[in-house]
Amino acid sequence: TRRRGLEGLQSEGRGAAVPVNRVDVREAINVAIDKTAIVKIMGGPTVATPMNRILPPEIIGGELPVDSPFVTEEDKGDPDLARSMLADAGISGLTLKMPYGNAGKAPSIAQAIQQDLGDASIEVELIPTLPNLFYTSYLFVPEADWDIAVPTWLPDWYGNAGRTFFVPLLDGRTCGANSANFGCYDNRTINGLIDQALEAPTADEAGQAWAEADQEATE
């Protein structure tokens, strides 16, 4: 999601301006998307797996269980449930802007998400860009006009590698121009758990802190 998390926005009085700053909107988006369709686009289950969380299992903490509220039957998504969630929250008429790099598998992924969210009564305006401009004109620019996107992110190494994966994506203190915290997400609880993980004296303790941070972020 784009821009700053709810805590940061409340202090600035901008919380209602951006639809995806609402937790219930983000929940509905996650519930609606058929993750198995994206797996097929990526090349099938031998190369991709729906995770329903942040950390992959190759990173310490990612092998520990996280209770994700977004798991649907066979990971196929549930647009009807997503539509009902939005209605219960009094939300209607959503239009989200989604930039994507116009090359490779990205257009197909964007179109699949557009269809799934459309089935949940969320209109998605696709914005094709040159692949190099996807980041430099949108994701790396805090004031750019977009709502959702599908970037890719890989750890620099496996094992105790949360600092190369979780930190750049979700530590609110990294937010700003050219930051990999594309949504400017800032959550004090998660920031504190990140510090615990980075300062942990053992890998097991670090993994536990990363998993707790993952649980908080996933919710």
Side-chain angles (χ1 to χ4, degrees), residues 36 98 137 141 151-152 166-167 174 187 214:
T36 64
M98 181 178 179
S137 294
V141 183
T152 56
F166 202 98
V167 171
T174 70
N187 180 303
D214 196 344

Side-chain angles (χ1 to χ4, degrees), residues 94-171:
L94 278 183
T95 298
L96 304 178
K97 295 182 178 181
M98 181 178 179
Y100 65 93
N102 196 17
K105 297 178 174 65
S108 296
I109 292 173
Q111 290 163 13
I113 291 173
Q114 181 187 46
Q115 178 175 326
D116 291 340
L117 295 187
D119 290 342
S121 299
I122 301 173
E123 183 178 349
V124 176
E125 177 186 340
L126 296 181
I127 305 172
T129 73
L130 294 174
N132 60 315
L133 297 181
F134 174 63
Y135 287 93
T136 59
S137 294
Y138 289 95
L139 271 65
F140 284 155
V141 183
E143 65 273 16
D145 187 16
W146 63 281
D147 296 298
I148 59 174
V150 184
T152 56
W153 193 259
L154 301 173
D156 291 338
W157 63 85
Y158 293 134
N160 195 2
R163 69 173 64 246
T164 76
F165 196 94
F166 202 98
V167 171
L169 293 175
L170 290 171
D171 189 330

Side-chain angles (χ1 to χ4, degrees), residues 35 46 57 60 75 93 98 120-121 126 133 158 182 196-197 200 211 216:
K35 299 177 179 68
T46 60
I60 284 179
D75 289 312
M98 181 178 179
S121 299
L126 296 181
L133 297 181
Y158 293 134
F182 306 119
Q196 288 182 38
E216 180 77 15

